[in-house]
Amino acid sequence: MLTVIETRQIFAGETRLERVVFYLASFVAILIFFVGLAFRLRKYFAGRPLDLSRFRRKHLDRDLLGVTRPVPVSRSIHEIASNGTVSKRNRGVGLAHLALFWGFLGLLAATTILSLDYDVVGNLTRIFGHHELSFFTGHFYLAYNAIFDLAGLAALVGLVGLIVRRARSTSIALDYKRAQIPEDGYSRARMAAGDLLFAYGLLAILVTGILIQALRIDASRFPPYERWTWMGYAIASVMHGIGISSTSAAAIHLWIWWIHIAMALAFVAYVPWSKAIHIMTAPANLLVRDSSATRRLPANNLDHPGYRSLDDFTSKELLSLDACTKCGRCHSVCPARTGGAPLSPRDLILDLRQWADRSAGLSMVLDWEQRPTASGPLLAGGRLAGDVILPATLWSCTTCMACVEICPVGIEHVPTIVSLRRSLVDEGTMDPTLQSALENLATQGNSFGKSARMRARWAKGLDFDLVDARKQHVEYLWFLGDFASFDERLGEISRTLATVLRDAGVSFGILFEDERNAGNDVRRVGEEGLFEMLVEQNLAAFAGADFDKIFTTDPHSFNTLRNEYPVYGLDKPVLHYSEVLLEIMETNEGALANLGGRVTYHDPCYLGRYNRIFEQPRRLVELAGCELVEMPRNRTNSFCCGAGGGRIWMDDSVLTERPSENRMREAAELGVEQFVVACPKDYVMFSDAVKTTGNEGRIKVVDIVELVAEATRLVGAGSAGGEQG
């Protein structure tokens, strides 16, 4: 009686010549793969060395509370394994990609195991004259087929889901129309074709792989143990049922096997020359990304201001260009692109990628953008910032970090944009209004160009004197920032906050004329030298004052004081005034009356996305007894007012719609009475937007401290009324 061995032949019926052809084709495909990979690595190594300090245990990163702790590389690994970044704000796409991701890895593992058994173990035993060994039998073989059939099904379902979604989607994220100017002559037909080739090519490989299983089982007359190959067995049964005999299945199997092998080997060769490179670069980029790079910008460590050539970029930045999958999520959330500005974070990355490929001699990439002439990112000479990437594109960025937040592969767009801006600043290519603001900051320490002696003029309406922190110890040093100090529309809000703090018994003081602009937006404009000068002046003022903590009303100042100044020596805790107000109100139960009314709250970019302060302002609204109606875009998905990154100093008349107007229209649909802000720039931007959108008289822009003050006044009035009665 013959013993049935639970296994299958790797080669079944192929001639010796056909086997030689297979191995020769495999060698060529692998060679092409490694040649392409070598070109990629050469490009990465052309950049400045990658900082691997986050992988060393001794490296510590300052978190948002000012406490140092090891950077959790494990978090990146978890995000890669769970596809958590892909699932962000689109769970359906995330689940489909997760199925494809693990299914693909499973099938890769299956192929590796098969090759290890036949090509390594088998050949070694044959070479040394021993009996041929194989672990591809018995229980291992049965479990192998059952598990990897599941991987194949997962990959197939995930891929089909993504293909159907792309085919049916009307999302602007998947629209390849450029945001940059000029648009005439630009075609992304090859990019779109590259996406289709990748998706449908992978689909064909999966389908033919499943068909090979089914045809093999039919041809071998359905061995009972092949029921463990459950998907192939089921399809084979259907085939047999519709009249495909075992003899026919054997003949078809050979043809489908060669088609499958040809496509699979072509895919291997194709990976480093196409969009498919993200299979390798996206996980690598997630692993080495620096989550603090945007809120704490790197200094200019070059011998000239800004990026100008390939070797100015870091290896990590060049890697991140190749990680882009063209998903368009950054394109859809960008406030500049939404407002009609010539900036799309996606287009910026793609343009830089093509320029970097050309600069590194990698000119055989399959999805190049087509142009009638060699212009834009294909330009051989000219300026990187100015010719390859247009000045108007770079100056459109509000540095709101929405693109960084949503990117599923961890690209950090903002630091790159700032590095390119530094080149423009160095050559003086900027708006005249921005130039004027920078000159004012250099000479007067504020963007308004007013004398430093006028910085505390807003306090003249107070019925008490502010403490000078340079002369008397205080618990809190109040760092106002330029707008809270000089903008007349904000003077009353500053006085209101001072009064609330005084009435609550808070020990606080200010620096008067010694305060300078904190420099957050100066740095993000690209004026690194001026930023460092402002830091030096403010640190000198801090050293001459006596205080325990700093708080500020300006989220922009808050971000740079908390995240960037410690690098220069600041060792004091930095808080936002909403945190201080909440601590006061929660420790004084009954301090606020119920105001009532429907309000919405806008998350400032530099408070929310940058520094994850979401709940404190909302808790203050709740304590004031208002009904909070959340904006559709809130917290990490909040929409920028348009003032950040120095945009408040630039001309925005070219926009089809200002970001603040877009946001105000969103609020108007909620039927709210008040639009609550926690940022001086937000107050200015949205006060204007109320008028320009025709909502004056319907919606009132109020600062969070105005709600608190009104609620405390009502409590005081109620108490006074009771005493009189």
Side-chain angles (χ1 to χ4, degrees):
M1 183 176 179
L2 294 175
T3 301
V4 177
I5 300 175
E6 295 160 334
T7 188
R8 63 179 170 87
Q9 289 183 304
I10 305 305
F11 288 102
E14 291 82 1
T15 66
R16 187 177 186 86
L17 176 60
E18 288 172 332
R19 295 188 188 191
V20 171
V21 170
F22 167 77
Y23 281 109
L24 182 60
S26 298
F27 174 78
V28 171
I30 293 171
L31 178 63
I32 294 172
F33 172 87
F34 279 107
V35 168
L37 187 61
F39 271 108
R40 298 280 181 182
L41 292 174
R42 186 179 71 174
K43 179 175 71 172
Y44 305 151
F45 290 135
R48 289 181 287 133
L50 178 67
D51 180 9
L52 297 177
S53 59
R54 72 187 300 263
F55 291 95
R56 295 195 289 268
R57 291 183 61 189
K58 68 180 182 179
H59 177 68
L60 299 175
D61 186 23
R62 182 180 295 271
D63 70 12
L64 298 179
L65 298 177
V67 180
T68 56
R69 56 180 174 80
V71 176
V73 175
S74 59
R75 182 179 65 191
S76 294
I77 296 174
H78 177 267
E79 287 175 342
I80 295 168
S82 66
N83 278 214
T85 54
V86 183
S87 298
K88 189 182 294 183
R89 299 186 207 159
N90 200 326
R91 187 166 180 79
V93 170
L95 290 174
H97 195 277
L98 181 66
L100 175 60
F101 175 79
W102 280 108
F104 181 85
L105 288 182
L107 295 175
L108 179 62
T111 304
T112 303
I113 291 170
L114 194 61
S115 179
L116 180 65
D117 176 80
Y118 185 84
D119 296 314
V120 179
V121 175
N123 283 327
L124 285 176
T125 56
R126 285 189 290 271
I127 289 171
F128 291 103
H130 297 292
H131 293 294
E132 187 169 336
L133 300 176
S134 174
F135 55 78
F136 198 59
T137 60
H139 290 95
F140 180 87
Y141 174 73
L142 300 180
Y144 171 96
N145 284 316
I147 292 171
F148 292 118
D149 260 22
L150 180 62
L153 180 62
L156 184 62
V157 170
L159 181 58
V160 169
L162 293 172
I163 289 174
V164 170
R165 179 250 180 179
R166 177 174 282 270
R168 298 178 60 184
S169 176
T170 58
S171 171
I172 194 170
L174 300 177
D175 181 357
Y176 276 171
K177 183 178 179 181
R178 292 179 57 94
Q180 272 91 340
I181 53 174
E183 187 177 331
D184 293 342
Y186 285 71
S187 170
R188 284 190 164 158
R190 285 184 64 178
M191 283 192 175
D195 289 349
L196 295 177
L197 177 63
F198 173 66
Y200 286 102
L202 194 54
L203 179 62
I205 293 171
L206 291 174
V207 170
T208 53
I210 294 169
L211 285 176
I212 288 171
Q213 272 192 346
L215 291 165
R216 173 179 54 78
I217 293 170
D218 191 353
S220 58
R221 302 182 186 279
F222 296 88
Y225 62 82
E226 288 288 14
R227 292 181 183 274
W228 285 82
T229 313
W230 50 273
M231 184 164 57
Y233 199 94
I235 296 173
S237 299
V238 173
M239 287 180 173
H240 200 75
I242 62 175
I244 300 178
S245 66
S246 297
T247 303
S248 299
I252 298 171
H253 175 270
L254 182 61
W255 286 101
I256 298 296
W257 186 86
W258 275 111
I259 292 171
H260 174 76
I261 288 299
M263 290 191 298
L265 293 178
F267 182 79
V268 170
Y270 156 88
V271 166
W273 306 94
S274 67
K275 173 181 178 174
I277 190 64
H278 84 272
I279 295 171
M280 303 172 66
T281 54
N285 195 57
L286 284 169
L287 190 63
V288 300
R289 80 190 191 281
D290 182 358
S291 60
S292 67
T294 302
R295 71 175 190 264
R296 184 171 60 237
L297 290 175
N300 185 69
N301 296 318
L302 304 170
D303 57 6
H304 54 80
Y307 287 179
R308 299 177 183 176
S309 61
L310 192 67
D311 56 5
D312 290 339
F313 288 79
T314 66
S315 294
K316 188 267 170 203
E317 288 170 326
L318 294 173
L319 171 70
S320 72
L321 300 180
D322 283 348
C324 178
T325 64
K326 299 177 284 186
C327 71
R329 295 188 184 191
C330 59
H331 181 79
S332 64
V333 300
C334 178
R337 196 277 313 159
T338 302
L343 167 66
S344 159
R346 178 198 65 194
D347 293 343
L348 174 81
I349 295 300
L350 293 179
D351 284 354
L352 287 173
R353 180 164 78 188
Q354 293 195 324
W355 167 83
D357 286 346
R358 172 59 65 88
S359 299
L362 191 64
S363 58
M364 294 177 62
V365 178
L366 299 178
D367 60 351
W368 277 72
E369 183 175 355
Q370 293 297 287
R371 316 278 174 88
T373 57
S375 61
L378 303 185
L379 194 68
R383 304 167 302 161
L384 173 56
D387 294 321
V388 176
I389 307 297
L390 299 175
T393 297
L394 295 172
W395 290 128
S396 297
C397 181
T398 67
T399 67
C400 70
M401 196 180 156
C403 52
V404 178
E405 179 70 34
I406 196 61
C407 181
V409 296
I411 297 173
E412 294 144 7
H413 312 70
V414 173
T416 300
I417 288 173
V418 171
S419 294
L420 293 169
R421 281 180 167 185
R422 287 169 179 165
S423 294
L424 296 180
V425 169
D426 182 54
E427 65 183 32
T429 304
M430 66 183 80
D431 279 8
T433 51
L434 173 58
Q435 180 74 54
S436 177
L438 293 177
E439 291 172 356
N440 290 336
L441 285 157
T443 57
Q444 301 295 339
N446 65 81
S447 58
F448 288 80
K450 295 185 178 180
S451 168
R453 295 182 180 180
M454 298 177 63
R455 188 170 281 275
R457 179 170 291 186
W458 61 268
K460 286 191 175 181
L462 295 173
D463 58 3
F464 60 93
D465 293 330
L466 290 175
V467 175
D468 189 336
R470 301 168 299 179
K471 301 177 181 178
Q472 180 180 331
H473 174 266
V474 291
E475 180 182 3
Y476 290 103
L477 173 65
W478 179 6
F479 193 98
L480 280 93
D482 287 1
F483 276 79
S485 297
F486 294 109
D487 195 301
E488 295 181 359
R489 292 168 290 185
L490 296 164
E492 184 58 34
I493 294 175
S494 296
R495 288 188 289 272
T496 298
L497 177 57
T499 302
V500 168
L501 295 175
R502 191 278 309 267
D503 292 347
V506 176
S507 170
F508 73 96
I510 63 174
L511 291 173
F512 289 86
E513 68 272 14
D514 281 355
E515 181 184 314
R516 296 290 185 273
N517 184 289
N520 182 83
D521 296 293
V522 172
R523 188 173 218 190
R524 280 147 186 83
V525 158
E527 232 306 1
E528 188 72 8
L530 179 55
F531 166 74
E532 292 179 352
M533 184 185 80
L534 293 170
V535 171
E536 182 179 353
Q537 292 171 343
N538 279 317
L539 288 178
F542 295 159
D546 189 4
F547 61 95
D548 301 322
K549 308 172 188 176
I550 299 174
F551 82 84
T552 178
T553 43
D554 178 20
H556 299 246
S557 298
F558 171 74
N559 176 73
T560 198
L561 290 172
R562 173 179 271 200
N563 298 310
E564 295 179 321
Y565 273 53
V567 176
Y568 296 89
L570 179 64
D571 59 357
K572 302 285 188 179
V574 181
L575 302 116
H576 185 251
Y577 74 119
S578 63
E579 297 177 283
V580 178
L581 287 173
L582 183 59
E583 182 180 354
I584 294 169
M585 298 309 157
E586 288 190 329
T587 55
N588 292 276
E589 189 174 351
L592 299 179
N594 289 328
L595 296 178
R598 287 167 56 88
V599 307
T600 193
Y601 169 70
H602 168 77
D603 289 285
C605 302
Y606 278 89
L607 187 64
R609 255 192 304 275
Y610 270 77
N611 289 286
R612 283 346 197 222
I613 293 181
F614 301 117
E615 302 309 321
Q616 290 88 333
R618 286 174 169 80
R619 177 61 178 152
L620 287 171
V621 171
E622 179 185 342
L623 289 174
C626 298
E627 178 190 354
L628 178 61
V629 182
E630 289 285 4
M631 299 278 277
R633 295 173 290 184
N634 61 74
R635 293 177 170 82
T636 58
N637 192 31
S638 182
F639 193 71
C640 181
C641 75
R647 285 298 313 170
I648 200 166
W649 300 323
M650 301 183 215
D651 178 25
D652 59 4
S653 61
V654 297
L655 299 178
T656 56
E657 181 184 51
R658 294 176 176 86
S660 57
E661 294 171 339
N662 182 292
R663 189 67 160 159
M664 190 54 61
R665 296 185 202 282
E666 182 181 359
E669 295 178 0
L670 301 176
V672 296
E673 301 158 4
Q674 294 181 317
F675 187 96
V676 182
V677 299
C679 169
K681 292 185 178 72
D682 281 343
Y683 188 91
V684 171
M685 299 296 285
F686 290 121
S687 294
D688 289 341
V690 164
K691 300 172 184 176
T692 56
T693 59
N695 286 294
E696 194 170 16
R698 294 178 53 202
I699 301 177
K700 181 181 180 182
V701 179
V702 298
D703 190 278
I704 191 73
V705 74
E706 293 181 293
L707 284 185
V708 172
E710 184 179 355
T712 54
R713 281 195 295 269
L714 288 177
V715 170
S719 300
E723 292 170 358
Q724 290 173 357

